[in-house]
Amino acid sequence: MDTVVSGIRSTGNLHLGNYFGAVINFLKMQRENNCYFFIADYHALTTHPKPEDLQGNIKQVLAEYLACGIDPEIATVFIQSDVPEVTELYLLLNMNAYVGELERTTSFKEKIRKQPDNINAGLLTYPVLMAADIIIHKAHKVPVGKDQEQHLEMTRRFARRFNMMYGVEYFPEPDAYNFGEKLLKIPGLDGTGKMGKSEGNGIFLADTPNEIRKKVMRAVTDTGPTSPGQEPSEPVQNLFTIMKVVSDPSTVNYFTDKHASCEIRYGDMKKQLAEDIIKVTDPIRERIHEILADRKYLVKVVSAGAERARASASKTIREVREIIGYRPF
Ligand code: TRP
């Protein structure tokens, strides 16, 4: 069985794009692999969350993943900071990660642009910590989006470099697992681009039905098709894309035909779309609240997860120390 590792940052709530783009695939993977899914709460520190917010964010994200169907009985679900072994591997890997290559990382360059007032060393070495997360469990596959592929490239490089440096075949080089054609990109409601956590164009799994209705009714469209068979404009196509994911094919066909014959009323389409989204999100939202209210269950999940993750991580650390040359006196 392959080992799969994936980390989820504890910033922002899960939205429809995360759900159909990533989480649904996690649900499939957990049945076929030895999966480690964790909340990346060390990584979250790069943006300096307030102490009073950190725990709540972690809990929320955890509850959302569990509500979606991540099953802690079959996958190892844990909080990154419950497994301090990862920080030791991070330190060790930092010794052969070069500042030049870290500075050239796209995500780092982006951060310099976006948060020039907080370019901390944690941001620079973000890919090293991520590599430690992954190789500490000797992962083979890492399900990540396109934006993380460079980080994974670096993970492979760090693993290879360690093996070369010590003349061992110790760490496997993990592959990005992006589900190829099956990877769904869910667009936002603002006309262009994909749904994002911070773009203000998203529908969150925790949104109430009324919030969802309001958001969908406000979605950007156009003034309507003017000639039969005309291609929908990008904002309208985006609504069709979401509809294809949440609605019945007959519903999609109905509105596609209406568009083609220039009879479409976007208001009707949006009403239908909102209801179909709610059908998907409502059971998840209810489950999120149930889980958040069940402190005992959450404690049980994270402690069992931490125990399993630490067993795997501490074995790696023991072996890595030995390889590096730390020996008992
Ligand atoms: N960097 C990832 C993101 O921003 C989160 C992450 C941290 C991760 N460690 C990981 C993903 C290990 C996969 C494997 O989404």
Side-chain angles (χ1 to χ4, degrees):
M1 229 200 301
D2 279 343
T3 295
V4 170
V5 170
S6 198
I8 300 118
R9 260 177 310 168
S10 52
T11 48
N13 297 40
L14 281 183
H15 54 64
L16 223 51
N18 301 130
Y19 182 69
F20 287 108
V23 181
I24 284 223
N25 294 318
F26 288 4
L27 303 184
K28 268 188 244 143
M29 294 192 100
Q30 67 182 352
R31 280 184 257 119
E32 295 152 15
N33 302 275
N34 175 25
C35 286
Y36 292 88
F37 295 130
F38 68 96
I39 312 291
D41 62 340
Y42 283 140
H43 280 107
L45 290 187
T46 55
T47 51
H48 301 170
K50 292 204 193 79
E52 60 270 31
D53 295 336
L54 188 63
Q55 180 69 359
N57 294 346
I58 296 168
K59 239 169 105 175
Q60 181 72 26
V61 177
L62 176 66
E64 293 190 353
Y65 275 89
L66 295 171
C68 289
I70 298 274
D71 183 352
E73 301 281 326
I74 51 179
T76 300
V77 177
F78 66 100
I79 313 292
Q80 187 183 29
S81 63
D82 280 341
V83 185
E85 286 80 2
V86 76
T87 62
E88 181 167 352
L89 186 58
Y90 165 63
L91 177 142
L92 298 171
L93 292 177
N94 265 327
M95 302 304 165
N96 50 39
Y98 294 99
V99 172
E101 63 189 336
L102 296 173
E103 281 173 341
R104 282 192 300 275
T105 312
T106 309
S107 62
F108 182 66
K109 288 195 280 193
E110 233 167 63
K111 291 288 181 195
I112 293 182
R113 254 192 322 110
K114 284 197 189 152
Q115 52 182 72
D117 300 330
N118 177 21
I119 308 165
N120 58 68
L123 279 176
L124 182 68
T125 55
Y126 186 108
V128 186
L129 180 56
M130 179 160 161
D133 288 330
I134 296 169
I135 67 178
I136 204 161
H137 302 295
K138 300 199 174 166
H140 305 101
K141 290 193 280 198
V142 184
V144 284
K146 272 250 169 292
D147 62 323
Q148 297 295 315
E149 273 179 11
Q150 189 180 32
H151 290 157
L152 212 68
E153 191 73 45
M154 297 174 80
T155 300
R156 277 197 294 277
R157 202 189 309 150
F158 297 145
R160 205 180 311 131
R161 198 176 284 161
F162 180 93
N163 291 346
M164 290 278 284
M165 191 154 185
Y166 296 105
V168 289
E169 280 295 322
Y170 186 70
F171 289 120
E173 287 180 40
D175 284 320
Y177 196 74
N178 66 15
F179 305 95
E181 290 300 292
K182 282 181 279 169
L183 197 66
L184 282 173
K185 279 204 195 70
I186 307 295
L189 298 174
D190 52 354
T192 60
K194 68 175 198 170
M195 194 174 279
K197 279 184 182 168
S198 46
E199 280 79 354
N201 64 3
I203 291 177
F204 295 98
L205 298 179
D207 282 346
T208 62
N210 272 337
E211 283 167 333
I212 293 176
R213 289 187 191 107
K214 264 199 222 136
K215 285 182 177 179
V216 175
M217 295 317 283
R218 278 200 310 256
V220 176
T221 51
D222 57 24
T223 51
T226 48
S227 56
Q230 185 183 324
E231 281 286 307
S233 62
E234 189 183 354
V236 174
Q237 185 53 53
N238 286 350
L239 296 185
F240 274 112
T241 303
I242 303 177
M243 194 171 234
K244 274 186 205 143
V245 176
V246 295
S247 305
D248 247 32
S250 62
T251 306
V252 181
N253 289 340
Y254 174 82
F255 288 103
T256 308
D257 291 347
K258 287 280 179 204
H259 187 276
S261 59
C262 303
E263 293 168 308
I264 193 160
R265 293 210 310 231
Y266 291 135
D268 294 346
M269 179 184 181
K270 286 175 168 180
K271 270 194 202 127
Q272 182 66 47
L273 179 60
E275 295 317 308
D276 291 339
I277 290 173
I278 291 166
K279 263 193 223 138
V280 175
T281 57
D282 224 35
I284 300 177
R285 185 179 59 92
E286 281 173 18
R287 189 83 191 107
I288 293 172
H289 291 295
E290 277 169 28
I291 292 173
L292 283 173
D294 193 347
R295 190 171 158 270
K296 256 205 191 134
Y297 173 70
L298 282 172
V299 170
K300 198 178 101 191
V301 168
V302 296
S303 34
E307 195 176 316
R308 264 146 65 185
R310 289 193 77 173
S312 153
S314 56
K315 176 168 183 289
T316 303
I317 289 296
R318 255 195 324 276
E319 291 166 353
V320 164
R321 281 174 151 266
E322 173 75 23
I323 291 169
I324 289 180
Y326 292 112
R327 309 265 153 81
F329 263 75

